[in-house]
């Protein structure tokens, strides 16, 4: 049962290249399937989420993180009466534009680009992947996704000022995205704030006492689990607490978004688009809990001195290779050399690097820049 403010696939603004309808899959379902079958999607498996070197085979990588975001997003979307197929599609594609080495890689690539007066932005890169780089169809370049999926790729996590990004004008930058897209940024946060506590703890970079002292929402549920299962092994109490924390954030997001929809008098999709602010949000209390968890992770995991050497490696590998290909474009694969005829070389080098997995970029570094 779709809410009146949900995106309806039959009202989609459609694809760049019109295609005949499929007999039993609608357009958003087909877009989801196109993303799952894309090469860039498969490469997420070998891209860092938080830990560049593989501490363990059961830690998250960008693909398993993406699957977790899709699961959480589907649950919330169904409760809110949103278009679950569109939400799932947006969740599956939300990190497809990330370069190797997680945020360190993103920063290094952006820095290298700024020296050429350009920038790297993973949402814009994701759009280039689905519009141009994926070659699967004889009739057109890219995946020919519907407007709503492309709009969601651009607008799910941030607002792009129309005057600075005239090339994105078709994506209605002065309007809010549909709730289906608004959700993704928040479910992404729920997924990684909980998962990174888990992986950080398993990696022995975070201690149970540290998490309990620094993450009040976790502590509340840990104390509850301890009262309920005093004899259970520590890790199971930890899992109980984490599961309840995730459930608390999901439930709050559903309820608070419903309340905000009513408070803003939102009835239709146009109301969502014209609302002065995004409607999907946590309650102030859950928002505070979310922020505390994120700050704890920033201070104790993401910027931990233990991970510093990995980050420095990432910056060095990306910086070296970027400089190498700018100096010697003849070392680029032929398809990229060709593109450099009508686009800035820095953009082409950036595209090439951004598409790489962690493994492949290390191989390239060894080949062109000596031992890694
Ligand atoms: Mg993500």
């Amino acid at each position: 049962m779709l809410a009146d403010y949900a995106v309806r696939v039959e009202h989609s603004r459609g694809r760049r290249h019109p295609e005949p309808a499929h007999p039993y899959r609608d357009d958003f379902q087909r877009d989801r399937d196109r993303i799952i079958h894309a090469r860039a999607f498969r490469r997420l498996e070998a891209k860092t989420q938080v830990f560049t070197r593989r501490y363990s085979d059961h830690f998250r990588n960008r693909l398993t993180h993406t699957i977790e975001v899709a699961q959480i997003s589907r649950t919330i979307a169904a409760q809110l009466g949103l278009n679950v197929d569109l939400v799932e599609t947006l969740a599956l594609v939300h990190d497809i534009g990330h370069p190797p080495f997680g945020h360190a890689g993103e920063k290094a690539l952006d820095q290298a680009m700024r020296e050429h007066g350009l920038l790297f932005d993973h949402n814009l890169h994701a759009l280039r992947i689905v519009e141009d780089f994926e070659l699967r169809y004889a009739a057109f370049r890219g995946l020919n996704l519907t407007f709503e999926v492309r709009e969601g790729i651009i607008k799910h996590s941030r607002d792009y000022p129309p005057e600075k990004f005239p090339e994105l004008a078709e994506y209605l930058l002065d309007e809010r995205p549909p709730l289906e897209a608004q959700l993704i940024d928040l479910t992404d946060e729920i997924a990684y704030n909980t998962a990174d506590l888990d992986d950080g703890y398993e990696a022995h970079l975070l201690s149970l006492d540290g998490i309990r002292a620094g993450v009040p929402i976790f502590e509340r549920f840990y104390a509850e689990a301890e009262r309920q299962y005093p004899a259970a092994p520590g890790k199971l109490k930890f899992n109980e607490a984490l599961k309840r924390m995730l459930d608390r954030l999901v439930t709050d997001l559903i309820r608070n978004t419903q309340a905000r929809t009513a408070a803003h008098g939102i009835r239709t999709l146009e109301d969502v688009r014209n609302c002065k602010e995004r409607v999907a949000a946590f309650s102030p209390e859950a928002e505070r809990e979310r922020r505390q968890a994120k700050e704890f992770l920033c201070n104790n995991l993401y910027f931990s001195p233990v991970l510093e050497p990995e980050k420095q490696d990432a910056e060095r590998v990306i910086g070296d290779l970027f400089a190498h290909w700018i100096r010697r474009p003849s070392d680029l694969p032929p398809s990229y050399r060709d593109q450099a005829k009508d686009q800035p070389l820095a953009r082409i080098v950036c595209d090439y690097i951004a598409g790489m997995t962690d493994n492949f970029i290390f191989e390239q570094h060894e080949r062109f820049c000596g031992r890694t």
Side-chain angles (χ1 to χ4, degrees), residues 7-15 27-28 31 86 145-150 269:
V7 176
R8 293 183 141 62
V9 70
E10 61 275 20
H11 295 163
S12 167
R13 289 169 209 227
R15 307 182 185 282
D27 279 344
F28 294 152
D31 282 1
L86 176 58
L145 302 177
T146 53
F147 172 85
E148 291 72 16
V149 173
R150 287 180 281 125
L269 176 56

Side-chain angles (χ1 to χ4, degrees), residues 62 65 94-95 188:
R62 236 175 238 289
H65 159 74
H94 89 280
D95 267 354
D188 188 24

Side-chain angles (χ1 to χ4, degrees), residues 49 62 65-66 69 94-95 98 188-189 192:
Q49 178 67 18
R62 236 175 238 289
H65 159 74
T66 293
V69 174
H94 89 280
D95 267 354
H98 272 283
D188 188 24
E189 288 246 4
Y192 69 68

Side-chain angles (χ1 to χ4, degrees), residues 46-62:
K47 290 195 178 202
T48 289
Q49 178 67 18
V50 174
F51 299 94
T52 301
R53 291 203 196 93
R54 302 206 71 189
Y55 277 70
S56 155
D57 277 350
H58 53 252
F59 282 7
R60 276 82 176 173
N61 57 49
R62 236 175 238 289

